[in-house]
Amino acid sequence: MVAVFLMISASLAMASTKDEVQKRGYLQCGVSTGLPGFSNPDEKGNWTGLDVDMCRAVAAAVLGDATKVKFVPLTAKERFTALQSGEIDMLSRNTTWTYTRDTSLGLNFAGTDYYDGQGFMVSKKLGVKSAKELNGAAVCIQAGTTTELNLADYFRQNKMEYQAVVFDTSDQTVKGFEAGRCDVLTSDQSQLYALRIKLANPDDAVVLPEVISKEPLGPVVRQGDDGWFNIVKWSLFAMINAEEMGVTSKNVDTMKNSSNPAVQRLLGTGGVKGSFLGLNDDWAYQIIKQVGNYGEMFDRNVGAGSPLKIARGLNALWSKGGIMYAPPIR
């Protein structure tokens, strides 16, 4: 099956994903079926979130217009097949970068746009203060995710038992938790905070302090199209570099006149050119002008400017106590 997918990938790559997107006039981007802060549609079908903005950044770089995106909602089980088969051009759906996924599915991870870790959410009325108190618990979990294996490892290592209650989507999972189908809901911590606000009474649930895994999340593309891989990868890197240089969506026009060579290279006014990516010289300017830098994207979707109010933590720039870091544009 994997070999078939690889053959499909290779044939699609020959057509050049960038050329296909530019010819079509819009980007097809795989997202979740609805996760506040990352990819979530409102009642009018308008998508918002960090993963959504990653799609828009690539559209801004390739098409010069961040609005030229068709969002394709996918469950965890559907996401890789959709990318392998060419249904979507890229996947931006809170997906963990792992060895198995990176080496056996014919896919490439184009960087990390959110450093996460798996945690647990419980009802306050249970009085549980630590995950070590969960022996014998029923655990709500979403199928087709890395959380299933992490959960099994954690309980085995701590000589505890559990009963898995499995759902296909995050919405079904949180409804199962709210209906009392399980004692605990486990997922990446960012998702727990996002799902918590979907509860009728968010204050009735608490996220436990333990983080039991590393979950680097980021955009994914098919293997075999290095040009497209570079575009998605450097779209993310441009946003991180922009935050580090203090270039924002509000000051980017003024910054085009900067005498700083690093800023000139970022904005295409000097030094390296967009032709290295097969794009216009202002590819990064378009991302920053229309979507913003990484800090702006984080704050409005999951950070202080959002209902989730998640601290930057590991996702702060390396120069501010975090591990968010991008190679230089030079």
Side-chain angles (χ1 to χ4, degrees), residues 125-140:
K125 65 183 180 184
L126 292 179
V128 172
K129 303 298 182 186
S130 166
K132 299 291 180 60
E133 303 172 38
L134 295 176
N135 187 28
V139 184
C140 282

Side-chain angles (χ1 to χ4, degrees), residues 25-27 56 59-60 63-71 290-291:
Y26 62 90
L27 173 73
R56 292 194 170 119
L63 300 166
D65 188 341
T67 68
K68 300 295 186 183
V69 183
K70 176 185 177 183
F71 295 103
Q290 298 183 48
V291 184

Side-chain angles (χ1 to χ4, degrees), residues 89-263:
D89 304 307
M90 61 179 282
L91 179 68
S92 184
R93 188 201 174 283
N94 52 292
T95 297
T96 303
W97 185 352
T98 70
Y99 168 80
T100 303
R101 291 172 174 175
D102 199 13
T103 59
S104 68
L105 299 180
L107 305 177
N108 278 328
F109 283 76
T112 299
D113 59 17
Y114 191 96
Y115 290 97
D116 212 339
Q118 185 174 339
F120 300 95
M121 181 167 70
V122 300
S123 171
K124 276 185 180 176
K125 65 183 180 184
L126 292 179
V128 172
K129 303 298 182 186
S130 166
K132 299 291 180 60
E133 303 172 38
L134 295 176
N135 187 28
V139 184
C140 282
I141 190 169
Q142 187 178 347
T145 65
T146 56
T147 55
E148 290 182 278
L149 182 58
N150 294 334
L151 180 68
D153 288 348
Y154 180 78
F155 273 72
R156 186 184 308 113
Q157 289 169 358
N158 287 282
K159 297 180 171 54
M160 300 191 301
E161 296 183 350
Y162 70 97
Q163 176 191 350
V165 183
V166 182
F167 299 89
D168 283 336
T169 69
S170 59
D171 271 348
Q172 293 170 355
T173 308
V174 75
K175 286 178 181 174
F177 174 76
E178 195 163 32
R181 297 276 306 278
C182 55
D183 306 303
V184 189
L185 193 160
T186 187
S187 188
D188 293 350
Q189 274 216 331
S190 63
Q191 293 189 43
L192 294 180
Y193 286 106
L195 295 175
R196 185 170 170 266
I197 65 174
K198 286 190 169 185
L199 298 174
N201 296 299
D203 291 339
D204 290 347
V206 61
V207 177
L208 298 178
E210 285 91 348
V211 175
I212 66 169
S213 69
K214 293 186 295 184
E215 306 292 338
L217 313 179
V220 194
V221 297
R222 286 180 293 276
Q223 286 183 359
D225 189 342
D226 288 351
W228 184 244
F229 179 42
N230 286 339
I231 287 171
V232 175
K233 178 170 55 178
W234 282 96
S235 292
L236 171 61
F237 290 163
M239 299 178 86
I240 298 171
N241 276 309
E243 182 183 10
E244 188 172 336
M245 295 177 198
V247 182
T248 72
S249 57
K250 293 182 175 56
N251 71 13
V252 66
D253 286 312
T254 302
M255 294 294 273
K256 288 179 77 172
N257 300 317
S258 172
S259 59
N260 183 333
V263 174

Side-chain angles (χ1 to χ4, degrees), residues 295-308:
E296 292 178 279
M297 178 172 73
F298 185 98
D299 286 348
R300 69 170 168 264
N301 290 311
V302 297
S306 77
L308 302 184

Side-chain angles (χ1 to χ4, degrees), residues 75-89:
T75 67
K77 289 192 293 185
E78 296 169 335
R79 56 185 162 179
F80 297 128
T81 303
L83 183 58
Q84 290 161 331
S85 67
E87 180 184 351
I88 55 175
D89 304 307

